[in-house]
Amino acid sequence: MMLWETYLLAQRTILRNVLRSSLTILGIVIGVAAVITMVTLGSGATAKVTSDISELGSNLLHIRPGQGMRGPGGARSRADDFTIEDATAIKNSVAGLKAVAPISDASSQAIYGSANWATSVTGATNAFLTVQGWQVADGRAFSDGELKAGKGVCLLGNTVRKELFGNESPIGKAMRLGKISFKVIGTLKEKGQSNFGNDQDDIVIIPLRTLQRRMAGNSDVRTIIVSVNDGVSTEVVSSDIEALLRERRGIKSGQDDDFHVRNMKELIDTLTGTTTVMTALLSAVAGVSLLVGGIGIMNIMMVSVTERTREIGTRLAIGALEREVLMQFLVESVVLASFGGLIGIAIGLCAAAIGAQLIGVPFVFRPGIVAAAFFFSGAVGVTFGYFPAKKAAHLDPIEALRYE
Amino acid sequence: MQFAQVTDQMEPAQIYQKEEIAQKQNNLIEFQDITKIYGKGQAAMRALDRINLSIRQGEFVAMMGPSGSGKSTCLNILGCIDTATQGTYRFEGVQVENLSRDHRAMLRRHFLGFIFQGFNLLNRTSALENVELPLIYRKMPAKLRREKAMEALSAVGLEKWACHTPSELSGGQQQRVAIARAIVGNPRILLADEPTGNLDSVRSTEIMEMLLEFNRQDSITIVMVTHEPEMAVYADRQIHFQDGRIITDSQNDHMITDSQKGASL
Ligand SMILES: Nc1ncnc2c1ncn2[C@@H]1O[C@H](COP(=O)(O)OP(=O)(O)O)[C@@H](O)[C@H]1O
Ligand SMILES: [Mg+2]
């Protein structure tokens, strides 16, 4: 029998009992729909995380003392902080940098009149405004003199401004951070919540030197943020900085770094890694349901072979070859399974489109996964249809004809 | 497994390229000491006991005998859907025991037509499609296949019922569909197991007239199992079975046969 004839025959047999066929492929439908939904939503989540982080600035490097994402204790607690000189050295000897912003921070109580607000204070230079994309709303940024001398001046984030000053204009007013008095020279444009849910506008920026001398009482730099020029590889810059800092901190070769340079790409990889693992786990669960679907098909095909024993006997007696009968049943189960796959894909894509709306991630159509799901369901048909088909093909014509 | 391109003009021996071409024989079918034993040991049951039988091209043979005497078993072996326990069966000189399962299927496909006891039509499949079935396995193009199947249906007077499924047809009509399916491939030999078994005498007579016409006009060899003497008289030759053996094998006297037929009409 030609393949096309076999296909038509299979299609007719399947459509002859629509209810049974639907129940047979239900497992495959659910399995494929689950896989498609999971993978599509997972891809959407990954795309969202990636674009969110890129918005933060994918060309930023954060340099901190300690050994990065290794949890508390260990090298981090013993590692020395950086100094302004480290930042200057990076600026002078590493190529391809747009800005180098050394910062330190502290928590403090901001006080103006009777208003009182706990906030975080960042000691920085104007480079910090550049790398973090802060814009001055009112007033001005720091002058060189204020930075060098470590003057008591500050820039207020929008939240702090509202909490302390309400509708009053803060420019030129005197306020206190803890016991130290500061003059407000400018306010920052509102940024809103960060992608990780914290309020970015809850910030007071003062000159780095002011923070070192008058609040922390040292000359430490906690973090150096570096922004890399467009088109320059962050990997190259980051290894240049590592080499430089190892030398400056006197780390012998073979010893581990006591600082780390983290770029946003790493962060993206870490976060998308999490969603990828989640997607993989959920897909594995979905895959199991696909397997169960396959067993459902096998079950019904076995029943079908038994029910159609006389038909098989007739075909064999008329002159069908074993392999033709095998093909007939194999094609039938493959058509069933692929059909289930198609329905599953359609349902999965619809569910993913709705789900993407609900959880606020983009709908990412992945043709590769759709094709793979389709072929996989076909393969399930072959695998689980083979045994029943073999059983049909091996029937003895005379016994099959006599079967009641 | 490779089969030679098969045409209706071909001799069966030519399908099997590896088989030595047997010497051309007059006999279409030759049984030598064919024995069929069902079961083993104590329960062994000898359904056919050393049957010797030759059937020539163009003969119309009726096999008769009481129930359980081995007629169906003999017919199934003739039709290559069952195999003998012992003995040799030559079909146009080809020794069937030496053929593989697939080779036997090819023999059935191209040279044999079978009318099964109890019709064995495919359910929920139209009469036309049932008749087309053997041609599908012969890889005949769809259009030609449809034409041939329609021809066969008109030969049995059912052209108006082509699109009906077996459940919409009477027993006599179903039997005629089964006959159309058996003859549509223009077989060398038509094997019929009690073709009038479930039919009343009027329908039975119609069926027998039809078989006689295929035998006379299309020179199809027919072997028919029946337990009704009124049907057996249509044949040229009657073989009587008892307990798995042939007890008589006689030519019909056609003078008598023709007058009897005249009387029954
Ligand atoms: N598959 C089988 N297994 C065991 N015994 C069988 C089988 N088929 C037929 N027989 C036995 O073989 C004998 C001949 O049967 P069969 O050829 O069908 O007789 P008939 O067609 O003349 O009525 C019977 O006794 C029957 O019981
Ligand atoms: Mg019988």
Side-chain angles (χ1 to χ4, degrees), chain B residues 97-116:
Chain B
E97 289 81 27
N98 293 347
L99 300 179
S100 70
R101 195 180 143 135
D102 277 353
H103 278 122
R104 271 184 275 129
M106 293 302 274
L107 204 64
R108 294 197 290 272
R109 177 183 295 186
H110 292 283
F111 304 105
L112 299 172
F114 226 111
I115 302 172
F116 304 96

Side-chain angles (χ1 to χ4, degrees), chain A residues 1-2 5 12 16 310-311 314-322 324 393-395 397-398 401-402, chain B residues 3 38 76 81-82 101-102 105-106 108-109 116 120 122 124-125 129 133-134 136-137 139 145 181:
Chain A
M1 247 195 297
M2 283 155 274
E5 304 269 1
R12 219 156 22 137
R16 204 168 270 164
R310 276 175 84 93
E311 175 193 328
T314 306
R315 288 176 183 276
L316 287 170
I318 277 173
L321 300 180
E322 248 179 84
E324 287 168 329
H394 276 323
L395 285 176
I398 200 79
L401 280 172
R402 214 175 269 143
Chain B
F3 296 105
Y38 287 112
N76 291 338
I81 53 177
D82 205 354
R101 195 180 143 135
D102 277 353
M106 293 302 274
R108 294 197 290 272
R109 177 183 295 186
F116 304 96
N120 270 329
L122 303 192
R124 300 203 252 182
T125 306
E129 284 166 326
L133 199 60
I136 290 179
Y137 287 110
K139 321 275 190 289
R145 199 169 74 203
R181 185 177 67 187

Side-chain angles (χ1 to χ4, degrees), chain A residues 166-180:
Chain A
N167 292 329
E168 207 178 316
S169 166
I171 307 294
K173 301 267 165 59
M175 58 170 280
R176 280 189 297 135
L177 289 173
K179 294 197 175 84
I180 308 149

